[in-house]
Amino acid sequence: MSYAARKGLNRNQIKYVAIIAMLIDHIAWGVVDPIYPLLGQIMHFIGRFTGPTMAFFVGQGYIYTRDVKKYQLRLGLCALASWGPFIYFEFGYFPFLHPTIPFAFNIVQGVTYTLFLGLTAIRVWESQRLKKPVKVLCVIGLCILSLPGDWPVMDVLGVLFVHVYRERPRALWTAYSLTLLLPCVGMALAGGLVNSWFHLGVLLPILALRFLYNGQGGSRRPVHKWFFYVFYPAHLLALGLLRWT
């Protein structure tokens, strides 16, 4: 996919915008919603920027990374490190430490878990040892495994489609957009537009990545690679403490 020296924001800059949007979204879930519902929905609308943006860059990252196994390991370790803080932020306890909580509530996961499965889907798709029907079944299995995660299915297929259609821009944007828009529009309608219109904020990353991303990576300083992996579990823990103590 060519960006032909387009002016705009590089990958690092858009990632930091996504991190800020995520923080705004989580502050709304943890602090603002019960007091200011309309403000909370506006903040959630902004927060829809993050999950799809991270999926897009993980899909691109398979090509750009020097070592995909290490990349996948980083995502997996971040998902593991974020598991406890995510559940604590959401429910006020750590996994399996509350005897009356149903099992299903102990296995919910943050977005890094879903992104890890998305990167796994690419590796499955690129495997030379598997036939295509087996690959399709494996991807379906990964989508099922993503159900306890944040942005389930969407951030598995979104990652995969960005990679598979990387040389076909029209197909890429069609598949990526439909993967995000159809479920989010469905959630907005199912929850009632008055209370769930914020799901339509998924349009923000689609438009920003389509028209503002210049295709450049930005600085290669290690801080830009590691910041999200540290910030994600740390901010969940900090907001959890603010919410529940």
Side-chain angles (χ1 to χ4, degrees), residues 7-243:
K7 293 182 179 180
L9 301 176
N10 64 42
R11 187 162 56 248
N12 287 341
Q13 291 167 332
I14 293 179
K15 282 183 179 180
Y16 283 116
V17 172
I19 288 170
I20 293 170
M22 176 183 66
L23 181 60
I24 291 171
D25 185 41
H26 289 167
I27 290 173
W29 287 118
V31 179
V32 176
D33 277 341
I35 306 173
Y36 304 107
L38 178 58
L39 176 60
Q41 288 217 43
I42 294 171
M43 295 169 75
H44 295 320
F45 182 86
I46 295 170
R48 300 308 91 187
F49 186 81
T50 306
T53 299
M54 293 302 183
F56 184 88
F57 287 134
V58 170
Q60 285 197 331
Y62 182 88
I63 297 298
Y64 293 138
T65 188
R66 296 175 181 175
D67 190 327
V68 69
K69 292 181 180 179
K70 289 183 178 179
Y71 186 24
Q72 189 174 31
L73 179 62
R74 289 196 300 271
L75 278 173
L77 291 176
C78 185
L80 185 62
S82 304
W83 177 33
F86 186 81
I87 290 180
Y88 180 65
F89 168 71
E90 291 284 344
F91 306 114
Y93 64 90
F94 284 91
F96 301 107
L97 295 183
H98 198 298
T100 65
I101 299 298
F103 175 81
F105 287 91
N106 288 287
I107 61 171
V108 294
Q109 299 278 347
V111 71
T112 48
Y113 166 77
T114 319
L115 295 172
F116 169 82
L117 295 179
L119 185 57
T120 303
I122 294 179
R123 296 196 65 188
V124 167
W125 201 259
E126 290 296 323
S127 173
Q128 301 299 315
R129 295 179 294 177
L130 301 176
K131 296 185 180 297
K132 192 168 184 178
V134 177
K135 294 179 181 180
V136 172
L137 288 175
C138 288
V139 170
I140 292 172
L142 291 168
C143 288
I144 294 172
L145 287 175
S146 77
L147 294 178
D150 208 6
W151 293 91
V153 182
M154 291 177 280
D155 269 9
V156 176
L157 295 181
V159 168
L160 180 61
F161 290 153
V162 167
H163 172 75
V164 171
Y165 298 121
R166 63 191 180 279
E167 302 297 335
R168 298 165 56 193
R170 183 174 297 180
L172 186 157
W173 291 112
T174 300
Y176 175 76
S177 299
L178 290 177
T179 299
L180 298 169
L181 279 171
L182 291 179
C184 287
V185 169
M187 286 187 285
L189 293 175
L193 285 176
V194 173
N195 297 315
S196 300
W197 60 268
F198 66 86
H199 288 297
L200 302 179
V202 75
L203 286 166
L204 295 175
I206 294 172
L207 295 173
L209 292 166
R210 179 67 180 87
F211 298 107
L212 296 181
Y213 176 43
N214 64 14
Q216 304 300 310
S219 170
R220 291 182 174 272
R221 292 174 60 187
V223 63
H224 300 301
K225 180 170 75 173
W226 290 101
F227 182 80
F228 178 77
Y229 295 114
V230 176
F231 181 83
Y232 185 67
H235 95 284
L236 288 171
L237 183 59
L239 290 177
L241 290 170
L242 181 64
R243 183 179 188 181

